[in-house]
Amino acid sequence: HTQIVRVDSPLEMEIVGTTIDDAAGEAFDKCAKVMGLGYPGGPVIDRLAREGDPEAFRFAHPHVDGFDFSFSGLKTSFLYTLRDAVADDPDFIDRHKADLCASLQHTIVEILLKQLVRAAKEYDIRDIAVAGGVSANSGLRNGVVEEGRRRGWRTFVPEFRFTTDNAAMIAVAGYYHYLHGD
């Protein structure tokens, strides 16, 4: 799941926001599949997005209470955009692949950052870290760093080689529990 977690210490964490449907990475993967980009789709979308216009297409943004995330409306909006455009032009996806990827990535990052900013304000959080598979996405990495500059946050973005899976996060949590005698 994609989550916003408030950490007071390695043993005191509170999930303040989570996905109510698919995680951000799943949204990338499912939209990539619809475009025929294969699995996992997130890295392919990220690569193609660098060549596209993030403002070329507008996709739905969810209206979710609290700090939770939803990507189902975005995926539906994306699917309908493709369905309608391909009906008029069978080569639409191939001709607009980079712009579709850039716009999709831009929308997902906007959704994530909007909730992150709201949670940071609510809880007066100044140290922001991203982790897990979606933290490999260059749009999210750049967005968190840029938002941090604007808001005076200390941002922590893992080296790319540490972004592929959550096992390291689980191991670190286990390590601190072990040191605490649990």
Side-chain angles (χ1 to χ4, degrees), residues 155-175:
T155 56
F156 303 91
V157 179
E159 292 178 38
F160 185 78
R161 65 188 173 122
F162 297 123
T163 63
T164 57
D165 140 346
N166 292 327
M169 294 187 311
I170 294 166
V172 167
Y175 171 74

Side-chain angles (χ1 to χ4, degrees), residues 9-137:
S9 76
L11 296 176
E12 297 178 34
M13 301 178 204
E14 176 188 3
I15 297 171
V16 298
T18 189
T19 52
I20 59 176
D21 42 49
D22 287 345
E26 291 172 296
F28 278 120
D29 291 340
K30 288 179 179 179
C31 291
K33 182 178 179 181
V34 171
M35 288 193 295
L37 299 179
Y39 181 86
V44 178
I45 287 175
D46 192 19
R47 181 176 47 79
L48 290 170
R50 294 177 192 151
E51 304 165 15
D53 176 4
E55 302 291 334
F57 299 96
R58 296 293 302 161
F59 303 115
H61 284 239
H63 299 286
V64 180
D65 292 334
F67 305 114
D68 289 338
F69 304 97
S70 173
F71 295 102
S72 63
L74 164 65
K75 291 183 308 184
T76 301
S77 172
F78 187 81
L79 178 64
Y80 287 170
T81 297
L82 294 185
R83 181 198 64 189
D84 296 345
V86 168
D88 293 335
D89 174 8
D91 296 326
F92 175 81
I93 294 173
D94 287 335
R95 292 188 316 100
H96 299 281
K97 200 173 284 184
D99 288 342
L100 287 164
C101 290
S103 297
L104 174 67
Q105 178 170 285
H106 178 73
T107 304
I108 290 173
V109 170
E110 276 185 334
I111 292 167
L112 292 171
L113 288 178
K114 175 185 172 194
Q115 296 298 70
L116 177 60
V117 167
R118 289 180 60 238
K121 285 179 181 177
E122 174 75 21
Y123 292 100
D124 194 29
I125 297 170
R126 312 291 299 156
D127 294 340
I128 305 291
V130 294
V134 79
S135 69
N137 181 273

Side-chain angles (χ1 to χ4, degrees), residues 5 68 119 139 146:
V5 179
D68 289 338
E146 182 56 36

